[in-house]
Amino acid sequence: MRLTTAQALVRFLAGQYSERDGVEQRLIPGMWGIFGHGNVAGIGQALLQYRDEMPYYLARNEQGQVHAAAAFAKMRNRLQTFACTASTGPGSTNMITGAALATTNRLPVLLLPSDMFATRSPDPVLQQLEDTRGGDVTVNDAFRPVSKYFDRVTRPEQLIPAALAAVRVLTDPVETGAVTLCLPQDVQAEAYDWPEEFFRRRVWHIGRPVPEPEAVERAVALLRGAEKPLIVAGGGVVYSEAERELRAFAEATGIPVADTHAGKGAVPWDHPCAVGGIGSTGTSAANALAAEADVVLGIGTRYSDFTTASHTVFGNPDVRFVNLNVARLDAAKHSAEMVEADAKRGIAALHEALSGWQVDDAYRARTRMLADDWNRKADECFHLGHGPLPAQTEILGALGEALDDRDVVINAAGSMPGDLQMLWRARDPKAYHVEYAYSCMGYEVAAGVGAKLAAPDREVVVLVGDGSYLMMSQEIVTMVSEGLKVIIVLVQNHGFASIGSLSESLGSQRFGTSYRYRAQDSGQLDGGRLPVDLAANAESLGATVLRASTVEEFTAAIATAKANSTTTVVHVETDLFGPNPPGSAWWDVPVSEVSELESTRKAYETYAAAKRTQRHYL
Ligand SMILES: Cc1ncc(C[n+]2csc(CCOP(=O)(O)OP(=O)(O)O)c2C)c(N)n1
Ligand SMILES: [Mg+2]
């Protein structure tokens, strides 16, 4: 069959399906893109020709389209994703941050950056990097370290192995992440005689690897000897749809369950074994149990520094780890007894092997006591009566009360992830969508697009700070044009509440963390407040905008937003200075060892003391 390389790729992708638990779905149900000279006549022509088989979505920024694809994949538990086409040069390199986000979060996205001419006949083409060290270097080589598979299709027939390898990696729960196929602009348009079988319907089975019986035995031997075990539930539990198994296992054994951002919601916040978020922004309950735990059972977690409080949260000198993970990379962390398996199958195997065993009543009672105590603290954060501007925790409290169990909240960076990790009361594994592996400012709004496309039957609520909004809010236009009803809660505090408070705690006096005029007298950015109106900005992009200045107004605005059928932004101003919810763990951010500033010297003393509690789990 004679087709161009671009036509062949689009047709091939339209024929790829994923399957798990007997359910088949299109692996790539559409392609995002922004056209330029690098793809308009190649992939662009193919998308026009096959517009019924491969729907096209127009983004406003190439980074945004990758975030939308990643959010879609996250909502669909990695069983589906989008492809993303971009023009040569800046269009393509705009996708690099999105690629890093996807790979760090272990989320599949297929990226198709356009590349310079394979023939090199018109070199240097517009937007081509001319590297004196090598003729084959292009800006797209920057995708290599952030891609789990990278290829450059410099001849049409190379597409066959490259496309198959791409899909192999996208559908592998261990390897998955950003997959990048660079497509030189001339090769995209070049014709070739393709074998018909390349385009046949192909189903990729997404496996559920079972644990080795010996590995289960070793893990269970350790767990049986535990007096104070603790489960850390990560994203692997959610992606594997193992929430029922985890709840049953926790109920039967009485092992308390702490969660990471990616694992939140797998066990409902008010489940008798739930103790909430763990680590640097964890609850006092989870962190108290972590401090004593003798065996930690990590399920589907990558143990980021926020989860381990930079290797300080697990305080028992004899603590041992059992890690159930599909990826050996994660299973091996902290010298664990490894159970390499799918979370759903692995939990079931551990449950069976541990049948009849449970923690003692005193430990169950202590878990409840700590969780109840934390829940009272959280209630206080929700009802501070703070003024004149509301505290962010009050806004989160009001939002939580207004939303239903299946409604999705999205967030990624700033002070909100920490507040949410401690305070958010999720009951559904897909209701809490916080990207906290790359914590990328700018993910939020774009992710709202992808999440709503993945779950049109759910209310999707994007929480975004003013800093993140200023970085990337352009996909509001995409929401409007696609008719996607998303609620965006825009939290305006005129700067970085997060990094401001971090800066203060590290002795850096909030330097450079608020949005102010440069003052005439000081010459610094500490002048008056800027005349910025982000609500008007959102309105100008086509959203319906509601302004709230009190908690009561905010609650009313959310009710209106829920009743609306179009993209609605709720703008609320909050206090830049918190107060923050009560922290109970550390985060390792190095402080200058020598300084002229008293604030830095004092912070260094505190830092040095905390640093002494950090350890390797060997
Ligand atoms: C792309 C990107 N740049 C920088 C950072 C570092 N950073 C983390 S939070 C933050 C400030 C976020 O400000 P805002 O969105 O207003 O949230 P707030 O802290 O006020 O809650 C910065 C600069 C980041 N996470 N991502
Ligand atoms: Mg802010």
Side-chain angles (χ1 to χ4, degrees), residues 97 392 413-416 438-442 444 464-469 471 491 493 495-499 515 576:
T97 296
Q392 183 167 282
S415 59
M416 277 186 278
Y438 209 51
S439 184
C440 183
M441 289 170 77
E444 303 89 342
V464 61
D466 53 328
S468 282
Y469 182 90
M471 247 186 228
V491 179
N493 55 22
F496 306 160
S498 51
I499 306 301
Y515 293 135
L576 181 67

Side-chain angles (χ1 to χ4, degrees), residues 12 149 151 159-170 179 181 204:
F12 168 83
Y149 182 80
D151 213 337
L159 180 67
I160 294 175
L164 290 166
V167 178
R168 184 198 82 228
V169 173
L170 288 171
V179 167
L181 296 184
W204 298 78

Side-chain angles (χ1 to χ4, degrees), residues 560-574:
T560 308
K562 284 200 80 166
N564 279 358
S565 57
T566 51
T567 303
T568 304
V569 173
V570 177
H571 179 279
V572 62
E573 206 163 320
T574 58

Side-chain angles (χ1 to χ4, degrees), residues 349-372:
L350 290 175
H351 192 161
E352 202 193 316
L354 268 177
S355 78
W357 179 89
Q358 56 176 300
V359 302
D360 65 26
D361 290 347
Y363 192 57
R364 276 194 198 247
R366 178 159 167 71
T367 298
R368 274 329 308 156
M369 188 272 288
L370 288 167
D372 291 345

Side-chain angles (χ1 to χ4, degrees), residues 581-609:
S584 52
W586 184 60
W587 184 35
D588 189 346
V589 178
V591 178
S592 300
E593 208 171 339
V594 293
S595 171
E596 292 173 3
L597 306 173
E598 173 63 16
S599 62
T600 308
R601 286 198 298 270
K602 275 181 79 174
Y604 182 75
E605 277 173 33
T606 311
Y607 175 75

